[in-house]
Amino acid sequence: MKKKWRVLAFSGLTALIVGCSHLGYYVQAAHGQFSLLAEAKPIDEWLSDPEVSGTLKDKLAKVQEIRRFAARELALPDNESYKSYADLKRPYVLWNVVATEEFSLKPMKWCFPVAGCVNYRGYYSKEDAMAYAAELRAQRYDVQVGGVPAYSTLGFFNDPVLSTFIRYPEGELARLVFHELAHQVVYAQGDTRFNEAFAVAVEEVGVERWLAKYGDEKMRNSYRDYQRRKEGFLALLTKCRDDLEENYARDVDDHEKRKRKAAIFESLKEQYQVLKAQWGGYGGYDRWFAEPLSNAHLSAISTYHDLVPGFRALLAREKSLDKFYAAVRSLSSLDKERRHEQLAGLAKSHQMATESVEARLSR
């Protein structure tokens, strides 16, 4: 009951802040969050239920281990998040709508009272997400609708483990839990690139330590394959993004830019098929091509990855996670441009130092 009133109070406050024009969107958001919490039960209850399959019980018990590891070894919040489980009976917890202008890779921003300004708009119903996407496309925006398996409420609620990701391989399951908990450690309002790159850096070091302590050869190989495919796909998308940016900067008319844009996306699809063949037919990224390709598909690359080297360099400098988190909090207090500049400088200095050591060792 206490959680229910927290949700309702938050919903009411939000409605007062944003006014009637956005009330429908916030009502679906509040209803979706409340429904998710209402479905959640403590993991121990699922483990003691004789009707629950052994496979699910094994996964839930593994999450409990991962959760304890996150608090003990990674200094992540030791609260009630990821200690309950909800079976949502749908493939994703929500669907994000991302949009850009026709000749730009810069995503639109939507601003909210708690999360600040973010590069997406989330819906708990795929139909609602598709309807909003259709409105944006009618205004000639490039749009992507993407399913989301998990998200963080930044500690405002006790986030549950979800059926949308519980069956991931162990390394990927640990990665996701570490990532979402990281959002509760530091969150810079209105800076999605900073927040997501920080969480990616935490997930990376977390999985490295998890696999070093608990991984066997099969698990390490599985996660290594996941990483290899992820890096290959990211390199493919980065090349496509760079080609698009070069195209949009050309001094030609819109018709020529559209032709080149279409050719770049066609090349991306062809190169992806080559990559799939190298992976032995693995089709885990096929869903990325479910909708017509657009700028919106590429706009999130920098959001999740460009600042990660700076965070890894900062961790290498600070050595301990507690000191690292404190340094990141200090960064989050700066204005956005300044914090991004400092991370870029850290990454460059770390790379130069690494190259210098490697050069000395090779002599």
Side-chain angles (χ1 to χ4, degrees), residues 156-193:
F156 193 86
F157 298 108
N158 296 324
D159 298 321
V161 178
L162 302 175
S163 54
T164 52
F165 64 83
I166 190 60
R167 301 193 186 280
Y168 283 10
E170 186 173 321
E172 295 177 50
L173 185 58
R175 175 196 66 77
L176 190 146
V177 172
F178 300 154
H179 181 106
E180 299 305 337
L181 283 171
H183 285 310
Q184 297 185 22
V185 175
V186 181
Y187 186 85
Q189 193 174 72
D191 194 348
T192 305
R193 288 181 65 201

Side-chain angles (χ1 to χ4, degrees), residues 120-133:
Y120 51 83
R121 183 157 159 152
Y123 289 86
Y124 286 88
S125 160
K126 183 178 181 180
E127 290 71 23
D128 289 346
M130 296 299 288
Y132 184 60

